[in-house]
Amino acid sequence: MSYVEQVLANLKKNNPNEPEFHQAATEILTTLAPVVEAHPEYEKAGLLERFVEPERVIMFRVPWVDDSGKVRVNKGYRVQFNSAIGPYKGGLRFHPSVNLSIIKFLGLEQILKNSLTGLPIGGGKGGSDFDPKGKSDREVMAFCQSFMTELYRHIGPDTDVPAGDIGVGGREIGFLFGQYKRIRDEHVGVLTGRGLSYGGSLVRTEATGYGLVYITEEALKVRGDSFKGKTVVISGSGNVAIYACQKAQSLGAKVVALYDSNGYIYDAEGIKLDVVKDIKEVKRGRIKEYAERVKGAKYVEGCKGIWTIPCDIALPCATQNEIDKQSAEILVKNGVKYVAEGANMPSTLEAIEVFQKNGVVFLPAKAANAGGVATSALEMAQSSGRMFWSFEEVDAKLKNIMVNIYHNIENAAKDYGYEGNYVMGANIAGFIKVADAMMAHGVV
Ligand code: NDP
Ligand code: 2IT
């Protein structure tokens, strides 16, 4: 058994019942084989064993009182995975599906994603099985305050800097920050995605979706093509999906579909984003309402059917494993040319194989959605420098970072003999910097 195979087998044995963590680790470790072969010193140093083991896992009880006066209890998590190249950095996800396996897969991905940004940030992730959907603002505040009452002791602007993810947006970050500041009596950059009135950065709201489109635009550009006139399908209708849609439209693409966890909308004329923003950002409603408000648009119950809509470019922006083998095959049959992942691990391993075998340009999450965390790192820089950059400045830096990521992963793939395989390229390019730092630090 090779070193990589041994580490993967032990990981599966020692972390049973964590299918998402196994999936992410399998994708990453198998692509690192050529790097590990070129560096035999890694095995003696136990580098991969250390890389897949979080530095620290924090699990805690989050009690809060609902509007009827009843006490509710949720699980809270923070996985501080790797701090070799900078303080732990990564989002918090509030969704009923959250468990240790999901937080660990997200944390592992985050290490390499953060490395790819070129900025000094380590990898972490956290969250809770709390479901903000249908809760009052007061209930969300009570939950966030209780969550932070434990989390505050584990984080700090030079230690661990959480941010948003599914179910955690501006409102939640505000409540979390307020409680941190109250307990610690420090107004510091301990969270990113903060409001503009209390230390946030311009462009952070748009960053993940914009970044996703910038990297895809670069992939198109080097092939002599552009977004202009392309038909695009985007899944999700949250933060990432909305701003991916906005940027793709501004570059001349026609976005024809979006979804939420209940079903998808199809608008052959092109999605009217102001209607989506009103439903989702203002009213916190369901995407179904779009079809009630826009003539000619249709709503279909259930999510999976969205991948049967013919498109040139697919941008999955909702959640893990939303594209399986069958959906990938249908996308390919219908002529998809580019798939770029806005969500984390939205394609199953089998789906990725289908895309790669059929010549689809496939940009994996850790490269394609790195614009969010990259802009978080720009927010951290502004906080510590007590500065505030203009929209244009931050947007230009974001674009530059995404273009660099594209070329770095392309070159890394080429250097190791896997031209056009951006999964290999992203994992290798991200890993090399982390591995160098870990080797320099000795046995820690
Ligand atoms: P939001 O909470 O703003 O939106 C999530 C969207 O995905 C909603 O439309 C939601 O539908 C849908 N969704 C969530 N879970 C499911 C599910 N199980 N099945 C179907 N649809 C689902 O989150 P974000 O837009 O911030 O995050 C979307 C993805 O992007 C996630 O994978 C996240 O990890 C990733 N990401 C986010 C970054 C950020 O900066 N926010 C950065 C990098 C990656 P519903 O409302 O019905 O639940
Ligand atoms: O998955 C991700 O990269 C995020 N949710 C953003 C993390 C961050 O710290 O901005």
Side-chain angles (χ1 to χ4, degrees), residues 89-91 110 113 125 161 163-165 192 204 344 369 372-373 376:
K89 180 83 197 86
Q110 199 82 41
K113 181 195 309 192
K125 200 86 191 189
V161 184
D165 194 83
T192 59
R204 179 61 189 88
N344 284 304
N369 71 31
V373 76
S376 280

Side-chain angles (χ1 to χ4, degrees), residues 93 95 106 113 125 133 164-168 204 208 236-241 259-262 280 286 303 317-320 342-344 369 372-373:
R93 175 178 293 190
H95 191 272
L106 289 163
K113 181 195 309 192
K125 200 86 191 189
K133 233 178 273 156
D165 194 83
I166 293 176
V168 178
R204 179 61 189 88
T208 311
S237 48
N239 172 266
V240 181
Y259 74 44
D260 63 21
S261 56
N262 293 108
K280 287 291 168 184
R286 307 308 301 159
C303 297
C317 294
T319 194
Q320 64 274 0
N344 284 304
N369 71 31
V373 76

Side-chain angles (χ1 to χ4, degrees), residues 93-140:
R93 175 178 293 190
F94 292 170
H95 191 272
S97 64
V98 163
N99 57 36
L100 187 60
S101 171
I102 289 178
I103 299 300
K104 281 173 69 180
F105 112 66
L106 289 163
L108 184 65
E109 283 278 299
Q110 199 82 41
I111 303 169
L112 299 181
K113 181 195 309 192
N114 293 5
S115 170
L116 285 172
T117 66
L119 300 166
I121 38 178
K125 200 86 191 189
S128 174
D129 59 357
F130 173 74
D131 186 0
K133 233 178 273 156
K135 303 288 191 301
S136 69
D137 285 351
R138 194 212 59 82
E139 289 178 320
V140 171

